[in-house]
Amino acid sequence: ARGVSQKISKTRWRPVPSGSLQTTETFATGSWDNEENCVSLWSIGDFGNLDSDGGFEGDHQLLCDIRHHGDVMDLQFFDQERIVAASSTGCVTVFLHHPNNQTLSVNQQWPAAHYHTGPSSPSYSSAPCTGIVCDNPEIVTVGEDGRINLFRVDHKEAVRTIDNADSSTLHAVTFLRTPEIVTVNSIGQLKIWDFRQQGSEPCQILSLTGDRVPLHCVDRHPDQQHVVATGGQDGMLSIWDVRQGTMPVSLLKAHEAEMWEVHFHPSNPDHLFTCFEDGSLWHWDASTNAPEKSSLFHQGGRSSTFLSHSLSNQAGVHQSLVSSWLSTDPAKDRIEITSLLPSRTLSVNSLDVLGPCLVCGTDAEAIYVTRQLFS
């Protein structure tokens, strides 16, 4: 853990070059609710030997930072050198990292990517950009204005804008596959959009039945693109199969508190990670034979086995093709949950996982890093 004297809204690992054997050593953070917000780069380079707990001695080191206008609402690495930040001012900025002198500079900006129009706002008033996803050379942004933008890096104007994509706030976006994205909104809907289609209608709408619980976060299974996880205001983890039905395949009760982010492990997707408003950070293990694991921060986190409540029957689907997240065999349905933070304080707003490493940022002005996720 490291105190950083700013509330952290987003944390992201820098991707490792494809084909590289090295582990990641750099992550970015964005802040919010501070007098001056910034985007920062940190290194967890090898600072000496293992201590008695098996942890690494030495803090993560600040490499560089740059001022950011407005709260950082989302943050994504575009490539090794560039980071894209979404602002509460509606602006989307691409920052460039210069490793030779460890500085960040503004590389590109779309100042009014998101804005409200209408009788109450004679010209226009800015609307927060709430989510971004990158797939070089493209950047997709969503916002409180219900707008979806498709930008291409090095282009001044948006390549495509779906103006009235949603009448409610869009909270998050991710790619399903290259021309298709999935968004979640403030009335519990998950929508799939295909940029190959003209018009402003989604090609599919799925929703939580009953209460229109706002969904805050979404992530797609790295290997099985039809499997999507979402989390929202009620703290419930929902697993969806976008090939079938309009409801989640399973609902996993987690917390009463809001779930801010959900991430499948990119190379080990039977493992999933979530963070919450009540200061908790959870590791969900759906691999069928989960061994007993020690807690992340050497606190002997209490492990509990939850039985997921599945809403649909997968009979007829070849079992080996079914993700462990969709399995309805009760023996395989057990999911082990480990709490990863020793004590709950303020909200854990963001987390990211890559290889054996996890980083998370909190409103308690602290960043937590582990390099031994599966030890």
Side-chain angles (χ1 to χ4, degrees), residues 114 127-131 141-148 166 168-171:
H114 293 275
C129 175
T130 51
T141 72
V142 298
E144 216 172 79
D145 52 359
R147 189 175 272 107
I148 299 173
D166 210 305
S168 58
T169 296
L170 290 168
H171 280 147

Side-chain angles (χ1 to χ4, degrees), residues 280-294:
S280 48
L281 174 70
W282 280 13
H283 172 187
W284 307 66
D285 183 354
S287 55
T288 43
N289 46 355
E292 277 302 307
K293 286 179 300 302
S294 67

